[in-house]
Amino acid sequence: MQEKIEKFINDERGGGNVAEVWELIDGIQTPELILSPELWEHWDKVRDEQIYIIDVGIACLRPQSKLEDSPKRKQNENPDKYAKKNKIKTWSDKRDIQYQEWDKLSLKKQDKLEEFISNYNGNLLSLVEDRIPESAKLPDSFSCRIQISGKGLKDLVYNFPDIFDVSEPDQFAELVQPQSLSDGENPHFQLEPPDKNAPKVCVIDSGIQERHPLLKAAIDSENSISWLPGNQQTADYVKDGRHGTRVAGAILYPRTIPRSGKQPAICWIQNARVLDDNCKLPKKLFPLNMLGEIVELYKGTRIFNHSLAGTVPCLTRYMSAWAAAIDQLTWQKEILLIVAAGNLPLDCRIGPTRLSIVEHLAANRLYPDYLLKTACRIANPAQSFQTLTVGSIARNYYQAPSYSSIAQKDMPSAFSCSGLGIWDTIKPEVVEYGGYLVKDEDIFKWTLGKQKNHGKIKDVSRGAGTIQKDWTVVKSFELRESFCIAVVGHQGWNNDPDASVPYSLVVSFEAI
């Protein structure tokens, strides 16, 4: 704006349309454009004295902060003559000076933010710069995890310059369990170590049961590390799941496990434990820093399996710091990160944006149409451009009245999140067999006397008399051709197993 005004004053080209400006908006930051949808939903409930852990993004560059185009050689210009002009060196020197100025600006803003936080007795827990990949020198923005009071958080959102993203640390979706590996199965098969130059795959997950007979020979145990604060155990302690162990098994045995004989492993498995016993990432672990440390440690590794995903749909107005960090690491280190598209909750929504499968079906959004809704969009950081994002498809179709699979074989799993990503990019890029869900076809379940939607009357016994009445409210589209009621008897005062009682059942339907 300032640049165009100056051109308008000097009567230069590019400043003519400034005369069309008829209103200037006061530069008050609008919280709904800065806060994540989940944080915005309960923004009015933020308490001044409560301590919060928050992820924050601060922009370092303004739109006018751009480099001049590098000098171009004319079509017929002699290369030696062009080199003697020394234009490239002049431009490079100017660029390097500009990079240094931008770095100083970034550091200045970081210091200013830390000072701001300290005024509210807060702490800067982690910080990472998000640099533009074309140069890897340009501090486009920086992201950090902070601890601050509610009062400080409000002041930060409304008044701190160039703040563009404020969100709660990602909650992580339940991980779909790959096929289980049992200690006792395949006793006649022996896994042998891979070739010493075989590729290495780092499993960033809940740890690995490294001494499992079907895994042990392939584990690079010398480089097993836990990133959990105060916990150096690298084993997989997730109950009834052992997710990292199963992921390692899926890498070594993508289709079937041999029943007999010997076979060398196809790769080395490296164990980077980041999830605790409950399959959760501690809030003290900032994903951006954590991933950078892991990639730096495993320098010879080119493939990283990263099953973590947020619970809610990713944002599309800008790339998240987590996804941007993955893109930057991929470009800088020439690696491949494999990430999950994310999963939909079964019967309970998560925040205002992630509806459950049951809610979609109840609202008459049929499979697979509901997978294209915004509420089913891929989860952070699956929108990363450089990752290989993996969705799930159904391996089989199941039907045994009154249950049947929602998805047919080789169709998207009913729980698997889908695209599109930022700028309408295709996501996920690939799919793999991940499981399927079945549904009950009498849609609603109802038991006489057990309803909770009409309250209870105090000091009145509903079950002691001979006359009972109850009701259920059902959407018309949920009704099927048959409406069935089962009457189940129970033992009363008469212990005779052959005793019977006559009864009358009256059913009425009412449109309300």
Side-chain angles (χ1 to χ4, degrees):
M1 183 67 179
Q2 182 64 38
E3 183 180 342
K4 287 186 178 295
I5 289 174
E6 290 174 359
K7 288 182 178 179
F8 177 72
I9 293 172
N10 297 326
D11 199 23
E12 297 177 4
R13 182 175 179 176
N17 61 349
V18 173
E20 299 173 5
V21 176
W22 59 275
E23 181 182 12
L24 291 177
I25 308 299
D26 188 12
I28 297 177
Q29 296 174 169
T30 317
E32 60 264 37
L33 299 180
I34 297 172
L35 301 171
S36 67
E38 289 68 38
L39 190 53
W40 171 243
E41 183 189 25
H42 56 259
W43 182 240
D44 58 339
K45 299 180 181 65
V46 172
R47 295 163 50 193
D48 286 353
E49 303 306 320
Q50 178 75 31
I51 300 298
Y52 297 90
I53 294 180
I54 297 293
D55 290 344
V56 176
I58 307 292
C60 294
L61 300 181
R62 300 293 176 87
Q64 66 269 26
S65 303
K66 60 181 180 180
L67 291 169
E68 294 181 2
D69 294 334
S70 60
K72 300 289 191 296
R73 182 165 62 92
K74 295 178 182 178
Q75 187 174 0
N76 299 320
E77 188 174 9
N78 182 280
D80 295 332
K81 184 178 179 182
Y82 171 75
K84 288 180 180 178
K85 290 182 178 179
N86 215 22
K87 289 184 178 180
I88 287 290
K89 186 178 186 311
T90 303
W91 177 84
S92 298
D93 292 343
K94 187 175 180 180
R95 176 199 60 189
D96 292 342
I97 292 172
Q98 202 160 355
Y99 280 157
Q100 293 172 12
E101 292 300 318
W102 285 334
D103 269 324
K104 291 178 182 176
L105 176 62
S106 177
L107 291 173
K108 186 176 179 180
K109 288 196 174 186
Q110 292 172 26
D111 292 340
K112 188 174 182 180
L113 176 65
E114 195 161 7
E115 180 183 359
F116 185 100
I117 295 169
S118 65
N119 289 333
Y120 291 96
N121 297 318
N123 293 305
L124 181 64
L125 302 178
S126 299
L127 183 144
V128 64
E129 288 185 326
D130 312 317
R131 293 176 176 267
I132 293 178
E134 284 77 7
S135 63
K137 296 180 179 179
L138 190 57
D140 172 64
S141 62
F142 63 88
S143 303
C144 53
R145 180 161 292 180
I146 66 172
Q147 182 174 295
I148 195 171
S149 68
K151 185 176 181 180
L153 176 59
K154 294 174 185 176
D155 192 4
L156 185 75
V157 168
Y158 285 110
N159 298 309
F160 195 85
D162 299 317
I163 188 168
F164 68 90
D165 180 28
V166 178
S167 59
E168 295 175 303
D170 275 283
Q171 299 296 316
F172 296 97
E174 291 294 325
L175 300 174
V176 174
Q177 304 292 359
Q179 183 180 2
S180 177
L181 291 175
S182 171
D183 288 337
E185 65 185 19
N186 300 291
H188 302 296
F189 170 71
Q190 182 178 344
L191 183 70
E192 295 182 334
D195 182 83
K196 65 176 183 179
N197 294 322
K200 300 172 183 176
V201 179
C202 180
V203 177
I204 306 172
D205 214 287
S206 61
I208 297 176
Q209 186 183 347
E210 296 185 4
R211 299 186 66 81
H212 194 291
L214 292 173
L215 303 177
K216 181 170 62 175
I219 301 295
D220 180 15
S221 56
E222 293 183 0
N223 290 309
S224 300
I225 293 183
S226 169
W227 265 262
L228 297 177
N231 186 341
Q232 299 305 311
Q233 298 294 323
T234 58
D236 190 352
Y237 292 99
V238 177
K239 294 180 180 179
D240 302 323
R242 295 179 176 176
H243 192 269
T245 301
R246 296 186 179 193
V247 168
I251 293 170
L252 294 175
Y253 309 100
R255 288 293 175 263
T256 59
I257 301 174
R259 310 299 300 181
S260 61
K262 299 180 179 180
Q263 180 177 304
I266 58 173
C267 64
W268 290 101
I269 300 291
Q270 295 173 319
N271 179 12
R273 186 187 181 200
V274 301
L275 302 179
D276 60 20
D277 299 9
N278 298 313
C279 229
K280 300 294 183 183
L281 185 75
K283 286 188 177 181
K284 290 185 178 179
L285 275 183
F286 195 32
L288 285 65
N289 295 80
M290 178 191 74
L291 284 175
E293 292 170 2
I294 291 174
V295 171
E296 185 64 28
L297 178 70
Y298 298 110
K299 289 184 177 179
T301 304
R302 305 289 295 279
I303 302 176
F304 294 81
N305 191 90
H306 177 279
S307 298
L308 285 68
T311 56
V312 297
C314 71
L315 298 177
T316 54
R317 63 176 178 258
Y318 52 78
M319 187 72 76
S320 72
W322 188 3
I326 290 176
D327 281 345
Q328 183 176 323
L329 284 170
T330 301
W331 181 80
Q332 287 180 328
K333 305 296 184 180
E334 295 187 359
I335 59 172
L336 174 65
L337 271 98
I338 300 170
V339 305
N343 300 324
L344 303 177
L346 178 60
D347 55 8
C348 183
R349 74 168 58 192
I350 301 173
T353 54
R354 182 70 90 196
L355 304 184
S356 68
I357 297 171
V358 169
E359 286 177 299
H360 284 294
L361 296 178
N364 208 25
R365 300 187 197 105
L366 302 180
Y367 170 90
D369 296 347
Y370 68 77
L371 292 178
L372 299 178
K373 299 296 183 181
T374 299
C376 298
R377 188 168 56 228
I378 53 174
N380 192 28
Q383 75 275 29
S384 160
F385 287 136
Q386 305 283 17
T387 60
L388 193 65
T389 301
V390 184
S392 172
I393 55 174
R395 183 185 293 274
N396 293 306
Y397 179 76
Y398 175 86
Q399 188 171 25
S402 62
Y403 296 99
S404 63
S405 296
I406 296 178
Q408 297 285 338
K409 183 179 184 296
D410 294 332
M411 291 291 286
S413 299
F415 56 80
S416 187
C417 296
S418 57
L420 299 169
I422 291 179
W423 302 337
D424 296 332
T425 50
I426 294 175
K427 288 287 181 175
E429 293 91 354
V430 296
V431 292
E432 179 56 280
Y433 291 123
Y436 54 95
L437 289 176
V438 297
K439 63 178 179 179
D440 185 346
E441 296 290 349
D442 204 76
I443 293 294
F444 59 93
K445 296 181 179 180
W446 167 59
T447 304
L448 186 68
K450 299 296 185 183
Q451 287 289 80
K452 296 181 180 178
N453 62 356
H454 46 65
K456 293 182 179 180
I457 303 175
K458 189 177 181 181
D459 299 329
V460 174
S461 175
R462 286 180 49 86
T466 60
I467 298 177
Q468 294 290 304
K469 178 180 179 179
D470 208 340
W471 62 87
T472 183
V473 178
V474 182
K475 295 182 185 298
S476 59
F477 63 78
E478 292 179 347
L479 292 173
R480 295 296 184 261
E481 292 182 359
S482 300
F483 177 75
C484 304
I485 293 180
V487 179
V488 182
H490 68 279
Q491 181 176 321
W493 56 267
N494 192 337
N495 293 328
D496 183 355
D498 297 323
S500 62
V501 176
Y503 67 90
S504 173
L505 179 67
V506 179
V507 179
S508 64
F509 291 82
E510 180 181 356
I512 56 173

